[in-house]
Amino acid sequence: MRSQLRPVLAAVLALVLPGLGHLSLRRWGRALLWHLTIIGGGVALFALYDVEPVDPLADPAAVSAAVPPDVALPIALLSLLSALDAYLVGRTVAAERERAATAEAMRRQVERADGDDGAGAGHAAPVAAVSGGDGEAVDVTCPNCGKEIDADLEFCHWCTEPLPWAESD
């Protein structure tokens, strides 16, 4: 549940302050890049259009009137793109964590099927059905499509999805 909310939180934080959503995802370079792009672009646009500074505490209505749409629109667009990027990066991070957890569970299942009861044998949740015994090949089911595949493969030959235990280069 928490991993599903993390991308949304990152997007909201990116809307509040440029780069903050990426900081919450621990993507330091991206956070700095988005922050400098939005703040630097805003400063450049304000200088280009000669926008006079207005005290927002004195008259809040004057702020929206003082900022021309030629300045506000690009800044808003960059902020939305930053929030979208933070959301997509957050989803990617959550998917990577889920794959790593699935891969670890699959390794534990394969070890248990081989008769090697390690320390993690009692903790592993059944992610895929494992069949096989002593001396015979271990077959598992694809976590994506559910069809039976060989455990030595790095992708499912039915749905062509990479398997969680496949080593990425």
Side-chain angles (χ1 to χ4, degrees), residues 149-156 161-169:
I149 56 170
D150 188 13
D152 295 332
L153 295 176
E154 293 185 357
F155 66 94
C156 175
E161 286 292 316
L163 296 172
W165 58 85
E167 296 177 11
S168 59
D169 292 328

Side-chain angles (χ1 to χ4, degrees), residues 4-165:
Q4 294 173 351
L5 292 178
R6 196 170 194 158
V8 175
L9 177 65
V12 170
L13 289 174
L15 285 174
V16 171
L17 182 70
L20 190 59
H22 292 90
L23 279 178
S24 71
L25 297 171
R26 295 189 176 131
R27 301 289 193 235
W28 316 115
R30 267 195 148 129
L32 182 64
L33 179 69
W34 277 110
H35 185 75
L36 291 178
T37 300
I38 295 172
I39 300 299
V43 169
L45 285 170
F46 272 82
L48 181 68
Y49 283 93
D50 271 338
V51 177
E52 294 295 323
V54 177
D55 185 15
L57 298 177
D59 189 13
V63 174
S64 62
V67 179
D70 292 339
V71 173
L73 188 63
I75 294 172
L77 182 64
L78 282 174
S79 296
L80 288 174
L81 287 175
S82 171
L84 177 66
D85 184 56
Y87 176 75
L88 293 176
V89 168
R91 283 188 52 184
T92 303
V93 167
E96 287 173 2
R97 286 182 180 168
E98 186 176 324
R99 267 195 189 147
T102 303
E104 182 60 30
M106 291 298 292
R107 284 191 185 102
R108 289 179 183 170
Q109 289 287 349
V110 169
E111 287 176 3
R112 190 181 308 160
D114 286 341
D116 181 23
D117 292 332
H123 305 304
V127 173
V130 177
S131 62
D134 296 329
E136 62 182 81
V138 176
D139 291 333
V140 296
T141 58
C142 173
N144 189 40
C145 68
K147 294 189 177 180
E148 191 172 301
I149 56 170
D150 188 13
D152 295 332
L153 295 176
E154 293 185 357
F155 66 94
C156 175
H157 60 278
W158 297 106
C159 65
T160 67
E161 286 292 316
L163 296 172
W165 58 85

